[in-house]
């Protein structure tokens, strides 16, 4: 796969052209990706998500689909945010713009995501059993409910990104 994000400060996950998905580690074996034997595979279900994020049932849990564009994505735990690199000259410039982008973002509606713990972010086309052998990143999250909100921001003339904020709910 051609990589668009530079290796560097953070770990970026990319897809082959479709959505990325964050599946709870506990239910990875239930995600079949594009290998499903039914009429509509799990990958097909992920592709049907309309908008920047959506939730899909997987086993007895729920996965978070990152829809819209197949952008390189990194998790910044210090901000509790997934950053999707739409355009930018360099990783350093893009990451430097995140704090200001978070302060000025116009956030979309919040959805609630119940997380049993660590989730794995990877290309939705991959089966969950093979996700950790492909381009992926593990997000260490505390079990509980999270408010998920998105924002499309342009923090600089040549920098565009999508923010996906994961806010623990009390």
């Amino acid at each position: 796969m051609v990589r668009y994000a530079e290796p560097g400060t953070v770990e970026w996950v990319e897809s082959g052209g479709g959505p990325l998905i964050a599946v709870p580690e506990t239910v990875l074996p239930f995600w079949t990706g594009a290998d499903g034997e039914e009429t509509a595979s799990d990958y097909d279900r992920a592709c049907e998500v309309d908008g920047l994020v959506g939730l899909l049932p997987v086993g007895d849990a729920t996965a978070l689909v990152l829809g819209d564009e197949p952008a390189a994505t990194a998790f910044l735990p210090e901000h509790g945010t997934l950053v999707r690199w739409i355009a930018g000259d360099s990783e350093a410039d893009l990451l430097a713009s995140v704090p200001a982008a978070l302060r000025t973002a116009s956030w979309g509606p919040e959805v609630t995501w119940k997380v049993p713990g660590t989730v794995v972010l990877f290309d939705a086309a991959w089966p969950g059993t093979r996700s950790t052998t492909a381009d992926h990143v593990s997000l260490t999250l505390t079990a509980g409910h999270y408010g998920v909100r998105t924002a499309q921001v342009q923090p600089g003339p040549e920098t565009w990104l999508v923010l996906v904020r994961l806010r623990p709910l009390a």
Side-chain angles (χ1 to χ4, degrees):
M1 166 184 349
V2 175
R3 293 199 55 85
Y4 297 97
E6 308 160 14
T9 308
V10 298
E11 206 172 335
W12 295 94
V13 177
E14 296 184 15
S15 79
L20 294 175
I21 189 161
V23 177
E25 209 171 46
T26 58
V27 295
L28 278 174
F30 297 102
W31 181 260
T32 60
D35 294 343
E37 295 181 19
E38 298 183 21
T39 307
S41 68
D42 283 342
Y43 176 73
D44 293 330
R45 292 190 309 136
C47 289
E48 290 175 3
V49 166
D50 188 28
L52 298 175
V53 295
L55 300 173
L56 287 179
V58 178
D60 64 354
T62 306
L64 179 70
V65 177
L66 304 182
D68 194 37
E69 295 192 33
T73 302
F75 182 59
L76 304 181
E78 66 275 20
H79 298 294
T81 302
L82 291 158
V83 175
R84 310 204 68 209
W85 186 339
I86 307 301
D89 290 331
S90 72
E91 178 185 48
D93 290 346
L94 185 124
L95 293 174
S97 73
V98 169
L102 286 166
R103 284 191 303 276
T104 61
S106 178
W107 297 97
E110 187 170 77
V111 297
T112 301
W113 182 30
K114 184 179 178 187
V115 176
T118 299
V119 300
V120 180
L121 179 70
F122 59 97
D123 186 332
W126 286 96
T129 54
R130 294 183 48 214
S131 63
T132 57
T133 62
D135 194 14
H136 76 285
V137 67
S138 291
L139 286 63
T140 304
L141 300 175
T142 303
H145 291 83
Y146 286 78
V148 179
R149 297 181 90 178
T150 61
Q152 294 176 309
V153 294
Q154 183 180 353
E158 301 297 324
T159 305
W160 291 272
L161 48 111
V162 171
L163 303 172
V164 181
R165 183 167 252 178
L166 308 175
R167 181 180 64 85
L169 300 174

